[in-house]
Amino acid sequence: MAGFFVVRRAEAECEGGPHEGDMDFSKLDGLIPAVVQDHVSGEVLMVGFMNQEAWDITRRTGYVTFYSRTRNTLWTKGETSGNRLAVREVLIDCDEDTVLVKAERLGGGNVCHTGERTCFFQRAEGVTIP
């Protein structure tokens, strides 16, 4: 069952004032990036895109919903696998064009379509680290 979650911004706004969940969908062909993070550990789980409808569904249901750019359709994470993402908090960036969704993993807990716990499991080689 979906619970109550909070949508909040940092106190210092970059552009304009708070607008209670309004997002700027004018960039990226009507999409906003949505970074999903485990609400307890802080581990980054995945990145997807939301259009206005996916954003509204996520806010209304409490489950993370994305817009698939390849299939041109909405999809709620876990609708087929059962590994749903229940929203616990949403942070909006200062430009109001990206969200950070802190979510609880439901089901088996694996988020990536490959069966991995997170989509970020491949290490980049050849990167200079100062």
Side-chain angles (χ1 to χ4, degrees), residues 1-129:
M1 179 166 79
F4 175 76
F5 66 90
V6 176
V7 177
R8 56 178 180 164
R9 289 179 176 68
E11 297 221 4
E13 301 293 330
C14 292
E15 295 179 16
H19 301 287
E20 191 59 42
D22 289 347
M23 297 298 299
D24 182 358
F25 289 96
S26 67
K27 305 168 190 171
L28 296 175
D29 295 323
L31 302 175
I32 59 169
V35 179
V36 181
Q37 184 179 46
D38 184 278
H39 78 112
V40 174
S41 71
E43 179 180 28
V44 176
L45 303 175
M46 66 177 292
V47 175
F49 289 89
M50 293 181 179
N51 62 7
Q52 179 72 60
E53 188 176 4
W55 170 242
D56 292 343
I57 291 169
T58 298
R59 292 181 69 201
R60 186 177 71 249
T61 66
Y63 292 102
V64 182
T65 299
F66 298 102
Y67 178 78
S68 170
R69 296 170 297 160
T70 54
R71 296 180 313 210
N72 295 317
T73 188
L74 295 171
W75 63 281
T76 299
K77 180 68 183 119
E79 62 192 356
T80 56
S81 69
N83 297 328
R84 299 175 74 174
L85 294 170
V87 176
R88 296 297 173 243
E89 183 177 30
V90 179
L91 300 172
I92 299 171
D93 82 321
C94 62
D95 292 327
E96 300 177 344
D97 61 4
T98 303
V99 293
L100 171 62
V101 180
K102 295 185 179 189
E104 178 180 352
R105 291 182 266 221
L106 304 177
N110 292 336
V111 173
C112 187
H113 72 279
T114 65
E116 295 289 332
R117 182 172 171 83
T118 170
C119 293
F120 295 94
F121 61 91
Q122 300 179 78
R123 187 169 308 279
E125 301 296 329
V127 177
T128 301
I129 301 174

